[in-house]
């Protein structure tokens, strides 16, 4: 008979006691384990359902076939079929928060020393009931069956399967140039107003829609990778780069008679970020993409996507200074002050200034900041990069000119600014703003150390919003409005609307615009996400992100009147999320 491992002992004892007529006591022990898990689930995190939705949305496009089964002493036996299914569920629903290697990221570590100590019944209860602001309640929500819950509890008691690395040899196998540079036009061959073109992510369709900002008509639908995360423009405004969560980079030439994908490269197994060189003399020369797995970034040729240089981000954390095997690459921006990319390394809390002048002797300045770096953008001068260390509840400021840390600022709970919003506060001068996932506040940070030194790198004003669960905040140099979305708020009224503030009278509070109601789509969650301006700054576009089998739309609002201007409906608009105006993206206008 196989030895009984520690986590099974309570169950064996329960069976033995039941046979002796004292089963009530055994069941009480088991109930106690479950109650303890429930209680700890309630106490583990302190936020709200908006955070839960955010954490629960973080899957991975890795596939079970990418890994091999690991059998671990002290863990329950699993059939290969169950292990494969559990791997798929973990990558889809858990890896985004806990990490592929389960070392912890925005979620807790799930290493086997911890999971085996907790025991099977505890893990089943925790997976079933979740926590109010941490892990979703996978069991009681119906997302996982009782059998799947038990399967996942067993799975995380085994060592995690390690996906393969993805080096230069594998990258070059995926590299494809469909239209070589010498066969591309030397001038724009279409009559599109490119500067007011929008690249719209059709998330679940694996596509982008190019939409004319003037006519509001779809120009072309282009196939891309899985769940496109962002679109970025080359410095010239000619090339559009998109990257999907499956780490596929697509390069689109907007000058051709019809915008066409001219090159493609897969840079890993999972990714989020892409950017192109913008420093004078290096325009369009290089592109860079950052991976979640393997933890690395790659510098590519800016006209062909040929991979040139791969840099690993594995290393020590800034706080405990312990080795982290999976520090993922989050936001990347292109410096305007030096020939450099600025790279956020999420789990270690380090920002790298990557000089691309000589790729054979690459120079990297690594700056210690705060852990869990995520998204961010430039101040209005484009000298200072402000970025969220979201689980640390901080905004980090990097001086890209002097190549150093400028400040670390405490803000609200889980800042998620997107690129942020720059404007002139009537009392405090130039500010950059972030909204938050974990609370309803908007933090305004002073960004003018020369003209308003007393306010620089401080929260000078905190606005009360309509609720937590915000992903994006936006304004425009030609606008006096500040828009804040709340797509992950559990309240339907909040997730389907946006708050808008008058920048000249911030004390007056906000007005609510019923964006989803204006879209008139019928049933579905209809989450309203990501305000994006047109080039002129007199229109702001919103995605009404519905279920894949339901109708979605884009809603265009007149920025001056705050009234509905246009609803863009089309059967091809499947789960639209991010929208990127060519001019604003090219010139970092936000």
């Amino acid at each position: 008979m196989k030895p009984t491992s520690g986590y099974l002992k309570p169950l064996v004892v329960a069976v033995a006691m039941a046979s002796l007529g004292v089963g009530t006591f055994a069941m009480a022990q088991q109930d106690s384990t479950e109650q303890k898990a429930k209680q700890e689930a309630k106490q583990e995190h302190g936020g709200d359902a908006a955070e839960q939705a955010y954490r629960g949305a973080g899957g991975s496009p890795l596939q079970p076939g990418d890994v091999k089964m690991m059998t671990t002493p002290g863990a329950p036996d699993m059939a290969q079929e169950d292990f494969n299914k559990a791997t798929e569920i973990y990558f889809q629903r858990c890896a985004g928060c806990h990490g592929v290697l389960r070392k912890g990221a925005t979620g807790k570590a799930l290493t086997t020393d911890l999971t085996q100590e907790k025991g099977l019944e505890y893990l089943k209860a925790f997976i079933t009931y979740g926590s109010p602001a941490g892990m979703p309640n996978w069991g009681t929500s119906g997302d996982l069956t009782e059998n799947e819950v038990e399967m996942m509890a067993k799975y995380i008691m085994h060592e995690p399967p390690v996906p393969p690395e993805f080096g230069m040899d594998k990258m070059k196998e995926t590299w494809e140039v469909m239209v070589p540079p010498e066969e591309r036009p030397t001038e724009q061959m279409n009559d599109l107003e490119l500067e007011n073109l929008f690249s719209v992510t059709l998330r679940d369709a694996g596509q982008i829609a190019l939409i004319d900002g003037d006519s509001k008509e779809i120009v072309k639908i282009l196939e891309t990778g899985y769940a496109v995360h962002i679109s970025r423009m080359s410095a010239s405004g000619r090339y559009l780069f998109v990257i999907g969560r499956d780490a596929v980079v697509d390069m689109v030439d907007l000058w051709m008679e019809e915008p066409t994908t001219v090159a493609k490269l897969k840079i890993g197994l999972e990714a989020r970020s892409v950017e192109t060189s913008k420093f004078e003399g290096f325009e369009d020369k290089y592109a860079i993409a950052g991976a979640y797995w393997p933890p690395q970034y790659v510098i590519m040729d800016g006209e062909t996507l040929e991979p040139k240089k791969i840099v690993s981000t594995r290393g020590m954390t800034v706080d405990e200074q312990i080795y982290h095997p999976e520090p993922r690459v989050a936001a990347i921006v292109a410096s305007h002050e030096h020939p450099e990319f600025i790279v956020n390394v999420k789990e270690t809390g380090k920002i790298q200034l990557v000089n691309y002048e000589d790729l054979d002797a690459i120079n990297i300045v690594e700056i210690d900041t705060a852990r869990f770096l995520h998204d961010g953008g430039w101040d209005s001068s484009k000298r200072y990069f402000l970025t969220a260390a979201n689980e640390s509840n901080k905004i980090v400021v990097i001086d890209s000119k002097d190549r150093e840390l400028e400040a670390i600022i405490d803000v609200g709970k889980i800042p998620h600014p997107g690129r942020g919003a720059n404007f002139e506060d009537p009392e405090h001068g130039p500010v950059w703003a972030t909204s938050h996932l974990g609370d309803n506040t908007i933090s305004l940070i002073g960004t003018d150390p020369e003209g308003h030194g007393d306010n620089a790198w401080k929260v000078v004003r905190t606005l009360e919003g309509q609720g937590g669960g915000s992903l994006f905040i936006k304004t425009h140099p030609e606008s006096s409005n500040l828009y804040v979305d709340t797509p992950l708020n559990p309240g339907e009224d909040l997730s389907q609307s946006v708050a808008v503030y008058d920048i000249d009278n911030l004390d007056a509070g906000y007005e609510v615009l019923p964006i989803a109601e204006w879209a008139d789509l019928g049933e579905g969650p209809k989450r309203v996400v990501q305000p994006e301006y047109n080039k002129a700054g007199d229109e702001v576009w919103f995605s009404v992100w519905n279920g894949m089998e339901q109708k979605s739309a884009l809603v265009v609002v007149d920025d001056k009147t705050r009234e509905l201007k246009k609803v863009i409906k089309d059967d091809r608009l499947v789960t639209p999320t991010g929208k990127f105006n060519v001019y604003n993206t090219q010139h970092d206008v936000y």
Side-chain angles (χ1 to χ4, degrees):
M1 182 176 176
K2 223 172 178 181
T4 304
S5 53
Y7 64 87
L8 284 176
K9 285 178 181 175
L11 298 183
V12 174
V13 170
V15 172
M17 286 185 152
S19 68
L20 294 172
V22 288
T24 303
F25 174 72
M27 292 304 295
Q29 276 194 319
Q30 184 171 332
D31 289 345
S32 175
T33 301
E34 183 170 318
Q35 288 303 319
K36 182 181 177 184
K38 290 182 187 179
Q39 184 63 28
E40 290 190 21
K42 292 178 181 178
Q43 296 173 351
E44 192 73 27
H45 300 282
D48 60 18
E51 295 173 65
Q52 181 177 340
Y54 176 61
R55 297 171 194 266
S60 166
L62 293 171
Q63 298 297 318
D66 295 330
V67 299
K68 295 180 179 179
M69 181 175 178
M70 306 286 288
T71 302
T72 307
D77 291 337
M78 292 188 73
Q80 180 72 56
E81 182 181 355
D82 286 346
F83 189 90
N84 289 345
K85 184 176 181 181
T87 299
E88 183 176 8
I89 291 172
Y90 183 85
F91 285 161
Q92 288 178 347
R93 300 175 185 267
C94 315
C97 288
H98 297 287
V100 169
L101 301 181
R102 305 190 207 145
K103 297 292 186 180
T106 52
K108 296 286 185 181
L110 295 175
T111 50
T112 56
D113 59 323
L114 300 174
T115 57
Q116 289 192 21
E117 181 183 358
K118 292 294 187 183
L120 184 64
E121 293 306 311
Y122 176 95
L123 296 173
K124 285 166 58 178
F126 206 85
I127 294 169
T128 299
Y129 298 103
S131 64
M135 187 175 64
N137 54 324
W138 296 115
T140 56
S141 67
D143 287 290
L144 297 180
T145 66
E146 187 174 338
N147 286 339
E148 287 172 333
V149 166
E150 180 166 352
M151 181 177 67
M152 294 309 297
K154 291 178 178 179
Y155 176 76
I156 61 175
M157 296 170 79
H158 287 268
E159 288 292 336
V162 180
E165 298 296 316
F166 208 86
M168 187 64 75
D169 57 340
K170 291 192 177 296
M171 280 192 202
K172 287 200 169 179
E173 289 176 6
T174 73
W175 176 44
E176 185 178 2
V177 179
M178 289 78 96
V179 184
E182 61 271 18
E183 296 179 15
R184 300 172 197 166
T186 56
E187 61 183 11
Q188 185 179 339
M189 300 301 291
N190 55 61
D191 58 1
L192 296 172
E193 179 55 49
L194 292 183
E195 290 188 338
N196 202 32
L197 192 69
F198 286 77
S199 173
V200 180
T201 297
L202 306 180
R203 187 185 184 281
D204 295 328
Q207 300 171 330
I208 60 167
L210 298 179
I211 301 181
D212 183 272
D214 296 329
S215 69
K216 314 295 189 293
E217 297 293 330
I218 295 177
V219 172
K220 193 168 184 179
I221 302 287
L222 291 165
E223 300 295 325
T224 61
Y226 164 75
V228 164
H229 196 63
I230 58 171
S231 298
R232 290 290 181 260
M233 291 304 307
S234 67
S236 68
R238 173 177 184 169
Y239 293 114
L240 172 71
F241 296 79
V242 298
I243 190 164
R245 283 174 54 188
D246 57 359
V248 172
V249 180
D250 287 281
M251 179 180 176
V252 179
D253 187 351
L254 299 179
W255 279 12
M256 300 186 77
E257 289 187 12
E258 287 189 3
T260 301
T261 301
V262 295
K264 184 184 291 282
L265 177 72
K266 184 175 174 64
I267 61 107
L269 299 177
E270 182 177 5
R272 295 294 189 278
S273 53
V274 68
E275 181 61 292
T276 67
S277 55
K278 292 184 176 179
F279 186 70
E280 185 178 358
F282 290 87
E283 297 92 340
D284 292 20
K285 185 173 178 63
Y286 292 116
I288 184 173
Y292 269 26
W293 186 269
Q296 63 191 29
Y297 53 87
V298 58
I299 299 174
M300 304 160 282
D301 182 277
E303 287 193 317
T304 66
L305 295 185
E306 179 184 3
K308 296 288 189 180
K309 185 80 172 183
I310 301 173
V311 180
S312 173
T313 56
R314 292 181 171 103
M316 314 304 283
T317 61
V318 296
D319 44 14
E320 297 174 340
Q321 298 196 45
I322 57 175
Y323 179 74
H324 199 295
E326 193 188 344
R328 300 174 291 181
V329 179
I332 303 176
V333 296
S335 174
H336 301 271
E337 299 284 354
H338 298 282
E340 290 179 339
F341 295 116
I342 302 179
V343 178
N344 278 356
V345 185
K346 193 179 187 81
E347 278 72 31
T348 55
K350 296 182 179 182
I351 292 178
Q352 294 187 3
L353 311 185
V354 182
N355 189 290
Y356 48 72
E357 286 181 289
D358 184 353
L359 296 185
D360 293 325
I362 194 165
N363 176 268
I364 299 173
V365 172
E366 189 170 78
I367 301 173
D368 288 358
T369 64
R371 293 189 68 190
F372 311 114
L373 295 161
H374 192 60
D375 55 348
W378 295 105
D379 78 308
S380 57
S381 74
K382 298 181 176 63
R383 172 175 174 172
Y384 299 99
F385 174 52
L386 295 94
T387 185
N390 56 17
E391 293 291 323
S392 298
N393 302 327
K394 298 179 187 298
I395 295 293
V396 174
V397 185
I398 298 295
D399 182 344
S400 69
K401 182 176 181 179
D402 291 342
R403 308 178 81 204
E404 62 186 16
L405 176 67
E406 186 72 16
I408 298 179
I409 306 157
D410 291 324
V411 291
K413 192 170 185 182
I414 313 184
H416 195 289
R419 308 302 292 274
N422 289 297
F423 57 93
E424 189 88 10
D425 184 287
E427 295 181 30
H428 305 292
V431 297
W432 178 93
T434 181
S435 51
H436 301 89
L437 269 158
D439 64 39
N440 70 331
T441 64
I442 296 98
S443 297
L444 276 54
I445 296 169
T447 60
D448 183 16
E450 294 184 6
H452 298 77
D454 291 343
N455 293 333
W457 319 128
K458 300 175 183 176
V459 176
V460 297
R461 189 193 295 265
T462 299
L463 303 176
E464 295 294 319
Q466 64 169 341
S470 176
L471 291 180
F472 298 100
I473 184 170
K474 190 66 65 106
T475 189
H476 187 278
E478 299 301 319
S479 174
S480 61
N481 289 321
L482 176 69
Y483 295 89
V484 183
D485 69 10
T486 44
L488 296 186
N489 194 286
E492 186 176 282
D493 289 346
L494 277 66
S495 65
Q496 296 185 3
S497 63
V498 297
V500 54
Y501 298 81
D502 180 352
I503 289 172
D504 297 324
N505 187 16
L506 292 168
D507 292 332
Y510 57 84
E511 178 185 356
V512 176
L513 302 186
I515 303 297
E517 180 182 319
W518 288 346
D520 190 24
L521 294 174
E523 64 177 11
K526 300 185 290 292
R527 290 169 288 184
V528 174
V529 65
Q530 206 241 0
E532 175 74 348
Y533 279 85
N534 62 347
K535 177 190 175 185
D538 57 10
E539 292 177 356
V540 60
W541 294 34
F542 298 90
S543 297
V544 185
W545 175 17
N546 219 349
M548 191 170 180
E549 304 301 323
Q550 295 150 333
K551 298 289 186 181
S552 293
L554 302 177
V555 171
V556 182
V557 173
D558 185 308
D559 183 66
K560 305 301 181 188
T561 65
R562 302 182 180 177
E563 295 178 352
L564 175 64
K565 188 170 185 177
K566 175 77 174 180
V567 177
I568 305 173
K569 293 183 180 180
D570 192 294
D571 288 342
R572 295 172 291 175
L573 291 179
V574 177
T575 59
T577 53
K579 302 162 300 303
F580 303 89
N581 175 268
V582 165
Y583 182 88
N584 294 339
T585 305
Q586 176 189 356
H587 296 282
D588 294 311
V589 177
Y590 38 81

